[in-house]
Amino acid sequence: MQLLKNKVVFLTGGTEGIGYECAQAYHKAGAKVSIITHKAQSLHQCRMQFFNDDIHYILADVSVSADVQRAINETISRFGKIDIIHNNAGVSSPSKTVCDTTEEEWDKVFNVNVKGIYHTTKFGIEALKASKGNILNSSSLVGNIGQELHAAYTATKGAVNALTKSMALDYAEHGIRVNAVAPAGVWTPMLRRWSNQQPNAAHIKNYLDEIHPLGYCPEGDVVADACLFLASDQARFITGCILPVSGGAELGYRKYMGQPLQKVDDQKVKL
């Protein structure tokens, strides 16, 4: 069954990791997908692997108002409408405390992770009113539980959670649902690069497996499946939900007992 047959998805951050898995899941479910990224090389590589008439790529930065307005207009011009806006684009660096984070770094994280949602909603809301569509935000488990050395990132994900609920109330009268997914650890290219550069990669894999009570750190497809459900009519009476896709990582107390973790490329484990 194609859950998104004849739907149009506006997906930010859709060329890598969880976003790429979502793009594939949405397309397989029958949707036309407009994929937005600010990374030219990533866009090119993704287009070489995943391209047909129902996929449209746009180079744009979600933190820039004019870029998002252009991307929304281009999507409507190409596909005629927008049914779903999935705000997946996000950055996690720097790996720092509040006091060690510069003002420029703080603003960058908020401008992408939170203001990006402001931009897509501001310029896409009329299209969603017309289609009675829905909005899906990519949050994180750390928006609820916190994480050391990621003050700015966790702050943005807490903001995303609160914003999701407020938007759900604001737009319910238009038949627009607003939800979010909150993963814990997920194997993405970035996480694999980080883990391979640790002193003992085997310990890192065990650590990432063990923080999830279900026993393993998943691939991005498990998040994509949850996103597909929330974006589809099967979730037609769900709004304001922050759905954990965490394997139970928020349950109980777990602490890494192996060798100390290292920062690599200004990144730590991103949950």
Side-chain angles (χ1 to χ4, degrees), residues 101-259:
T101 303
T102 67
E103 185 173 354
E104 180 182 10
E105 289 170 334
W106 184 271
D107 288 345
K108 179 182 177 181
V109 181
F110 271 85
N111 285 342
V112 174
N113 295 3
V114 184
K115 199 170 186 180
I117 297 174
Y118 165 78
H119 285 149
T120 61
T121 304
K122 183 178 180 68
F123 297 115
I125 194 65
E126 293 305 320
L128 293 182
K129 287 179 181 179
S131 64
K132 293 193 181 300
N134 69 85
I135 297 170
L136 180 61
N137 299 323
S138 289
S139 185
S140 169
L141 178 62
V142 301
N144 285 328
I145 68 172
Q147 184 179 26
E148 63 180 340
L149 295 178
H150 265 100
Y153 177 73
T154 59
T156 63
K157 294 307 181 180
V160 169
N161 292 348
L163 182 59
T164 297
K165 295 177 182 181
S166 293
M167 289 169 59
L169 292 170
D170 287 337
Y171 301 120
E173 65 178 294
H174 302 289
I176 296 171
R177 299 182 296 107
V178 186
N179 294 294
V181 289
V186 178
W187 285 115
T188 62
M190 183 183 73
L191 184 56
R192 282 193 166 88
R193 286 193 298 270
W194 175 85
S195 64
N196 288 335
Q197 294 174 46
Q198 295 303 302
N200 190 325
H203 277 297
I204 294 299
K205 183 183 183 305
N206 291 339
Y207 162 65
L208 291 170
D209 286 343
E210 289 171 3
I211 64 171
H212 303 87
L214 288 182
Y216 65 97
C217 182
E219 301 288 337
D221 62 317
V222 303
V223 183
D225 286 346
C227 290
L228 175 59
F229 166 70
L230 286 175
S232 77
D233 288 341
Q234 292 207 339
R236 61 192 175 277
F237 206 62
I238 299 175
T239 195
C241 173
I242 314 299
L243 179 65
V245 190
S246 60
E250 69 276 23
L251 306 174
Y253 178 78
R254 289 173 175 79
K255 186 174 182 179
Y256 178 59
M257 301 302 291
Q259 297 183 30

Side-chain angles (χ1 to χ4, degrees), residues 4-32:
L4 298 183
K5 186 175 181 180
N6 298 322
K7 301 291 187 181
V8 175
V9 180
F10 183 92
L11 170 64
T12 69
T15 58
E16 298 177 1
I18 292 171
Y20 180 66
E21 295 288 347
C22 287
Q24 292 184 304
Y26 295 155
H27 182 255
K28 185 177 180 180
K32 297 175 174 63

Side-chain angles (χ1 to χ4, degrees), residues 70-97:
R70 171 178 55 81
I72 290 285
N73 291 339
E74 188 173 325
T75 299
I76 294 172
S77 177
R78 173 68 181 265
F79 295 128
K81 62 174 182 172
I82 296 175
D83 297 284
I84 299 147
I85 292 177
H86 182 175
N87 295 296
N88 180 70
V91 294
S92 61
S93 59
S95 179
K96 296 179 180 179
T97 65

